[in-house]
Amino acid sequence: MQVNAGKVLKIVLKVLLYTLSSFALVLFIVLLLLRTEKVQNIIRQEAVSYLSKKLGTNVAIGRFRTDLLSNIEIQGIRVEDQSKDVLLNVGKLEINYRLIALLNNSVSIQQVSIDTLFFRMERNETDTAFNFDFIIRAFSSPSSTDSKEDTTTSPMKFDIGKLTIKQLHYIMDDRRGQQFYDARSGLIAVYVDKLDIKNQDYHIKSLEAKGLTAIIDSDSSPPDTTQSESSGLLPRIIIDQVSLLDNSFSVQLPGSGYQSETDIRNFHAENFNLDLNTNKLSLHQVLLAQHESKVLIKSVKTELPVEKNIESAASDSEPFTVAIGSIRLQENDLKYDQENVVAKVSTDFNQDHIHLKELQLLIEDFTFEGSTIQGYIQHFQAKEQCGLDIQQLSTRFVYSDTGVI
């Protein structure tokens, strides 16, 4: 019996075409169903149920919408810690991405927008871990001595474009470490160029913030050594442009009696480069314009510090080094007072009560390393409350623990 090869091939192609068409039709129907509000509500409910059981706490998601291929929108995210206090609250999270990039072992996110973000870190006096540690434990896989790192596959690449946060409120209340931070911002915009998590290398094109306010209350206490130090790579962060507008900061250090209030209308920095592996920070230039600061030093009862532990901890790491090409201050107002010294109206300069107005300053080649600070003051101009009027001053300076040169 003679077999017609052309007829057999035709039948095979028809079967293959029908199979592929059926698969495509089923996939199309599934995609349509997943885009419907009813199915997305089911996904939201299942996600809430899974996360609540996994974390052992209350998790809420108000709304979930996605087109699967390029956009996800989540509203009303709320996560409680194990004390039933609010840990995380997000009003609206929207992510624009390229799903097809997964074929190239890459996560491509074009933009992340967050509207209203609240995050609270907390640790009691008797706790060694913060209130979010249960999330890390819930999703961390148990370590195995037999498991070996897979070096045959290349690591996942992260391509993230822009991150925007409106109405940020961040609180860190560390009662064990005697530190409290409360930061708010009207708008934060970050343009990311590179995220290399494996090598801890991060490059940001620009960081912009408006309406940033912060309250810092930190007591001087010995470093917390209860948690083991990591011997792996530490982050290296590069930011090409930093722009902060309309900022205010309040700092209190009860242990040293330091207290300050600072308002900065305009802060700009270029080529920020921080390497925590070598403890080095460098910047090309810094601009501080329309800035007002009030510093008050209060008298405190001094206690003998435990120098042994502090010195041994400090000797394990390299001293932090800061290098700045130029620092420019424009239209600044600085006030410094010693609380335990009574201010008297006088034409003599009083080092315990200093008030500099209309301060203009340009410092070049500024460096800070260990106990040594040096640089070149190219221009200094200011008026002091005693009547001193400095029109122009320029000098090189070196300050160390042995004195001023």
Side-chain angles (χ1 to χ4, degrees), residues 43-61 74 77-80 88 134-135 138-139:
I43 295 175
R44 175 186 63 82
Q45 293 168 2
E46 290 297 322
V48 170
S49 176
Y50 169 78
L51 291 173
S52 297
K53 292 178 181 178
K54 184 75 173 177
L55 300 177
T57 188
N58 294 327
V59 177
I61 298 176
I74 307 174
I77 303 173
R78 177 187 172 95
V79 180
E80 295 181 356
L88 173 69
F134 71 99
I135 298 178
F139 289 99

Side-chain angles (χ1 to χ4, degrees), residues 168-172 180-186 188 209-218 244-252 260-264:
L168 167 69
H169 188 191
Y170 164 74
I171 296 177
M172 189 188 81
F180 178 82
Y181 303 97
D182 188 330
R184 300 169 185 260
S185 178
I188 295 179
K210 188 173 183 181
L212 177 63
T213 64
I215 299 174
I216 301 173
D217 190 340
S218 178
L244 309 178
L245 303 176
D246 302 328
N247 312 285
S248 64
F249 305 95
S250 175
V251 180
Q252 295 188 34
S260 68
E261 300 286 338
T262 303
D263 292 313
I264 303 174

Side-chain angles (χ1 to χ4, degrees), residues 59-75:
V59 177
I61 298 176
R63 187 174 186 267
F64 172 78
R65 294 291 179 268
T66 180
D67 64 1
L68 296 178
L69 300 178
S70 62
N71 178 267
I72 291 178
E73 181 183 309
I74 307 174
Q75 296 183 13

Side-chain angles (χ1 to χ4, degrees), residues 4 27 59 74 89 91-92 100 112 115 118 128 139 145 150 167 223 241 272 276 281 298 335 341 353 356 364 402:
N4 190 333
L27 181 61
V59 177
I74 307 174
N89 191 16
K92 179 181 177 181
I100 197 172
V112 178
D115 192 345
F118 173 80
T128 57
F139 289 99
T145 56
D150 185 7
Q167 304 304 324
Q241 302 278 342
F272 174 97
L276 294 177
L281 169 65
K298 295 184 176 182
K335 191 173 183 181
V341 180
H353 299 280
L356 296 176
E364 294 185 343
T402 58

Side-chain angles (χ1 to χ4, degrees), residues 19-216:
T19 303
L20 292 176
S21 300
S22 301
F23 176 77
L25 180 61
V26 171
L27 181 61
F28 179 71
I29 294 173
V30 170
L31 290 175
L32 286 180
L33 288 174
L34 289 175
R35 290 167 64 101
T36 62
E37 184 175 345
K38 185 175 181 179
V39 173
Q40 292 186 3
N41 279 334
I42 294 174
I43 295 175
R44 175 186 63 82
Q45 293 168 2
E46 290 297 322
V48 170
S49 176
Y50 169 78
L51 291 173
S52 297
K53 292 178 181 178
K54 184 75 173 177
L55 300 177
T57 188
N58 294 327
V59 177
I61 298 176
R63 187 174 186 267
F64 172 78
R65 294 291 179 268
T66 180
D67 64 1
L68 296 178
L69 300 178
S70 62
N71 178 267
I72 291 178
E73 181 183 309
I74 307 174
Q75 296 183 13
I77 303 173
R78 177 187 172 95
V79 180
E80 295 181 356
D81 60 20
Q82 294 183 317
S83 299
K84 306 303 179 184
D85 295 324
V86 177
L87 172 66
L88 173 69
N89 191 16
V90 180
K92 179 181 177 181
L93 168 65
E94 186 172 4
I95 304 174
N96 295 323
Y97 56 91
R98 293 176 60 248
L99 186 64
I100 197 172
L102 290 174
L103 299 175
N104 296 323
N105 198 32
S106 173
V107 176
S108 178
I109 298 177
Q110 297 164 315
Q111 182 170 337
V112 178
S113 301
I114 301 176
D115 192 345
T116 309
L117 170 62
F118 173 80
F119 181 65
R120 181 184 181 90
M121 293 174 55
E122 189 175 26
R123 183 169 66 164
N124 294 321
E125 295 88 342
T126 57
D127 293 335
T128 57
F130 283 93
N131 59 335
F132 62 86
D133 186 66
F134 71 99
I135 298 178
I136 300 174
R137 295 197 310 268
F139 289 99
S140 61
S141 57
S143 59
S144 175
T145 56
D146 297 332
S147 61
K148 295 182 179 180
E149 184 180 357
D150 185 7
T151 58
T152 59
T153 59
S154 58
M156 181 76 72
K157 298 178 181 178
F158 291 87
D159 180 14
I160 299 177
K162 180 181 179 182
L163 169 63
T164 304
I165 303 176
K166 297 179 181 178
Q167 304 304 324
L168 167 69
H169 188 191
Y170 164 74
I171 296 177
M172 189 188 81
D173 188 2
D174 182 9
R175 290 186 284 277
R176 180 183 179 90
Q178 301 182 50
Q179 298 184 71
F180 178 82
Y181 303 97
D182 188 330
R184 300 169 185 260
S185 178
L187 174 65
I188 295 179
V190 181
Y191 296 83
V192 181
D193 181 61
K194 177 184 179 183
L195 284 181
D196 188 348
I197 297 177
K198 181 181 179 181
N199 297 311
Q200 292 287 290
D201 195 2
Y202 308 99
H203 186 188
I204 297 173
K205 294 179 181 178
S206 67
L207 169 62
E208 302 172 3
K210 188 173 183 181
L212 177 63
T213 64
I215 299 174
I216 301 173

